[in-house]
Amino acid sequence: MSLLSDHQQILTKPVLTEKSTTDQERLNAYRFEVAGGANKIEIRNAVEALFEVKVLKVNTMVRPGKNRRRGASYFRTPSRKIAIIQLAEGQKIDLL
């Protein structure tokens, strides 16, 4: 497997919510949904390689799944791992 596809497997997708766009403007921080087994060093290397930016800080959190109901049956949505990436001053990632 090539290094580029490894980085793309670590960063699953960007999280585009009202809170994440506020963080982009205020803190120069971006949120990504990442692979469950990825650590902060792998996430930092993937962001720097894919977007060619300098990462200052990486914070991670696991959002547990929620119980949902459809008709008479119940199911649980999957858990997600979210990474908050803070970039150096003047750096930017174009997500759209």
Side-chain angles (χ1 to χ4, degrees):
M1 219 183 276
S2 73
L3 194 58
L4 183 61
S5 66
D6 288 343
H7 293 317
Q8 290 172 341
Q9 288 179 352
I10 290 173
L11 297 178
T12 309
K13 62 183 179 180
V15 177
L16 299 174
T17 61
E18 191 172 341
K19 188 172 188 175
S20 68
T21 53
T22 303
D23 285 347
Q24 288 176 17
E25 296 165 359
R26 238 176 12 104
L27 304 172
N28 200 23
Y30 296 83
R31 292 176 186 233
F32 289 94
E33 188 173 324
V34 297
N39 62 33
K40 292 181 180 185
I41 297 167
E42 293 171 339
I43 295 168
R44 174 190 302 264
N45 292 338
V47 170
E48 288 179 347
L50 289 174
F51 298 107
E52 298 175 356
V53 293
K54 176 66 177 154
V55 175
L56 290 182
K57 186 167 39 168
V58 176
N59 293 332
T60 59
M61 62 183 154
V62 176
R63 302 295 308 257
K66 298 179 179 181
N67 292 321
R68 295 287 185 218
R69 179 178 167 180
R70 180 169 293 144
S73 63
Y74 290 89
F75 64 96
R76 186 167 182 86
T77 60
S79 298
R80 306 183 309 156
K81 187 170 187 176
I82 307 288
I84 303 171
I85 316 296
Q86 188 169 5
L87 300 180
E89 189 69 32
Q91 299 283 311
K92 183 180 176 185
I93 295 176
D94 186 25
L95 296 176
L96 299 176

